[in-house]
Amino acid sequence: MEILWFLFAVIMIGAVLGPVLLRRRGGIRQVAPGSPDAADPANYGFLRQEELDIRMPGPDTDLLEVLDLVQRTQEWKAASQLLVGTETHGERRWQRVQAFAGAASLELQQRPGGVSDNPGGQWLRVWRAEAPKDAGGAAVHAEFLVQQAWRTAVQGTDEFRIILEEAKETCAQAALLSPGDPVPYIIELSIARGLAYPREEFEQLWLKILDRAPAHMGAHLAALHYWCEKWHGSRDLAYDFAEAAAARAPRGSLLAALPLFAVYEHLPEVNLVRGFYESEVVTKAVEGAMFAVHAARADDPMLAHVRHLLVFFLVRCERWAEAMNQLVHVDGHVGALPWTLSADPASDYAVYRALAVAGYEANGGSPATLPH
């Protein structure tokens, strides 16, 4: 369906999201906006693009409430209490540390120090000053520094290295404050990538994580970057790492989906050829991720991450009904790969969602036939 991918390019370039596709004779073609024949995602209960939450891959009501409180009052104690009450070895603690650090980093970007009487992220500075032995505060500070390095400094410069070295020291402090916590070491994985740890040093760091949380999906995703071709490994090393993790994954673990992330990290920059997405490597990775999703707990914090990446691949594979089944579970939140790599995550997600709806309807689907 070359015309479908032509439409995809037109939509991406023009950033025109809306009812652009039509079911007719099993094919897909562009139609005028507002046409009664146009595929409309709203018919499926999906949120409008401007209503999509780009902060997280899925809902976390407790985190959103605390984030709102902290940013509104500039008081850190609620954030500390939330992390204390979050399981140390679980995926959610890592996600919440990232969220608090990201919020502070974004605040600082919007209100840099010295520009106003209330510089952004001040609550994190006060947190560290008033509770230097708070393990959660140390972890958030370390992740904040990592995000600042990647966002504000140029890789390879002295500034970049200095910020990451400070982050490394803060990770060590956080690890001492909470010896069994894998999060400080997971944060260090990004530091290892930025500072180009030798493989032996990286593997020693990785063993510390495996000792504490051997099936931690977030940790595996962070480690995968190091082994990728664009960083310090190769396509084969990344695939080997992902496939080994999937092979030893306990039942119900989302690690079976890790090869799909490895495939994504090594996609060619430009490839609209349908055959690539029907290749054995892509098909095998997609099926592994589908199996992982089916076997995972419904409340697994990493489930939405896998579903979002599946939407990307299933649309490109033109597996419309399966893509729609994933969209039903994730719509509303788009803070996950691949959308977060875009300057406008909601826009990119909405494009793929529109394509899924159009393809689904072009093959006889309708809101009435889609299971919820």
Side-chain angles (χ1 to χ4, degrees):
M1 292 190 178
E2 290 81 3
I3 186 63
L4 174 60
W5 293 110
F6 170 75
L7 290 174
F8 171 82
V10 170
I11 297 171
M12 288 295 291
I13 294 172
V16 178
L17 300 172
V20 295
L21 301 170
L22 165 70
R23 172 170 61 89
R24 177 172 291 185
R25 299 176 186 173
I28 300 175
R29 69 177 179 84
Q30 191 170 4
V31 298
S35 166
D37 293 322
D40 186 356
N43 292 338
Y44 296 84
F46 297 148
L47 293 183
R48 296 168 61 88
Q49 179 182 327
E50 59 269 24
E51 297 173 332
L52 296 170
D53 190 329
I54 65 173
R55 295 171 295 180
M56 299 184 299
D60 185 344
T61 303
D62 290 340
L63 173 61
L64 289 179
E65 290 178 353
V66 170
L67 266 177
D68 177 69
L69 178 64
V70 168
Q71 294 185 303
R72 180 164 37 85
T73 66
Q74 291 294 295
E75 293 288 339
W76 57 269
K77 290 185 175 61
S80 175
Q81 291 169 358
L82 183 65
L83 291 179
V84 168
T86 306
E87 182 190 0
T88 301
H89 296 86
E91 305 280 356
R92 198 173 296 280
R93 178 179 173 83
W94 165 230
Q95 291 187 5
R96 288 174 171 175
V97 166
Q98 286 184 300
F100 286 128
S105 181
L106 182 59
E107 280 186 27
L108 184 59
Q109 179 181 338
Q110 295 171 340
R111 302 194 310 275
V115 175
S116 71
D117 294 332
N118 182 28
Q122 182 66 23
W123 54 270
L124 178 55
R125 298 184 189 88
V126 175
W127 187 356
R128 292 291 285 139
E130 294 184 352
K133 294 185 178 181
D134 186 320
V140 172
H141 184 209
E143 174 64 17
F144 167 82
L145 290 169
V146 169
Q147 293 191 25
Q148 283 295 102
W150 289 102
R151 286 180 178 177
T152 66
V154 177
Q155 183 190 348
T157 62
D158 287 344
E159 180 187 9
F160 181 79
R161 179 183 56 79
I162 290 169
I163 297 174
L164 286 185
E165 290 288 359
E166 183 182 354
K168 185 176 180 179
E169 293 177 6
T170 310
C171 282
Q173 296 171 14
L176 288 174
L177 292 170
S178 183
D181 188 352
V183 169
Y185 300 103
I186 298 173
I187 296 170
E188 192 177 347
L189 290 172
S190 293
I191 299 171
R193 177 162 51 99
L195 295 180
Y197 281 20
R199 288 185 183 175
E200 182 178 353
E201 185 177 356
F202 182 86
E203 287 171 348
Q204 290 173 353
L205 170 62
W206 182 239
L207 286 175
K208 293 177 182 178
I209 295 171
L210 291 182
D211 285 343
R212 292 162 175 80
H216 199 290
M217 180 68 171
H220 280 79
L221 289 175
L224 177 64
H225 290 296
Y226 179 90
W227 295 112
C228 286
E229 189 173 61
K230 59 187 175 183
W231 291 108
H232 309 296
S234 67
R235 182 189 301 265
D236 288 343
L237 286 172
Y239 282 11
D240 288 347
F241 174 78
E243 289 167 3
R248 68 171 182 267
R251 180 168 178 78
S253 168
L254 286 166
L255 286 177
L258 198 62
L260 187 64
F261 288 85
V263 170
Y264 177 76
E265 292 295 334
H266 293 88
L267 287 178
E269 290 186 7
V270 177
N271 193 324
L272 298 179
V273 179
R274 179 181 177 184
F276 172 78
Y277 292 96
E278 294 177 340
S279 65
E280 181 180 357
V281 65
V282 173
T283 300
K284 182 179 177 182
V286 168
E287 294 305 324
M290 295 281 281
F291 170 81
V293 165
H294 179 74
R297 302 188 328 269
D299 63 346
D300 190 315
M302 294 301 294
L303 185 55
H305 285 272
V306 180
R307 290 190 187 278
H308 277 289
L309 196 61
L310 272 171
V311 169
F312 172 87
F313 276 97
L314 290 170
V315 166
R316 291 205 166 198
C317 293
E318 298 181 10
R319 295 166 62 169
W320 313 117
E322 291 164 297
M324 291 294 287
N325 285 333
Q326 300 305 319
L327 284 166
V328 166
H329 289 92
V330 299
D331 193 74
H333 297 82
V334 295
L337 284 175
W339 328 121
T340 49
L341 296 181
S342 164
D344 190 348
S347 174
D348 276 17
Y349 168 83
V351 167
Y352 275 79
R353 186 178 65 183
L355 289 167
V357 170
Y360 183 63
E361 294 188 356
N363 288 276
S366 70
T369 61
L370 182 66
H372 286 72

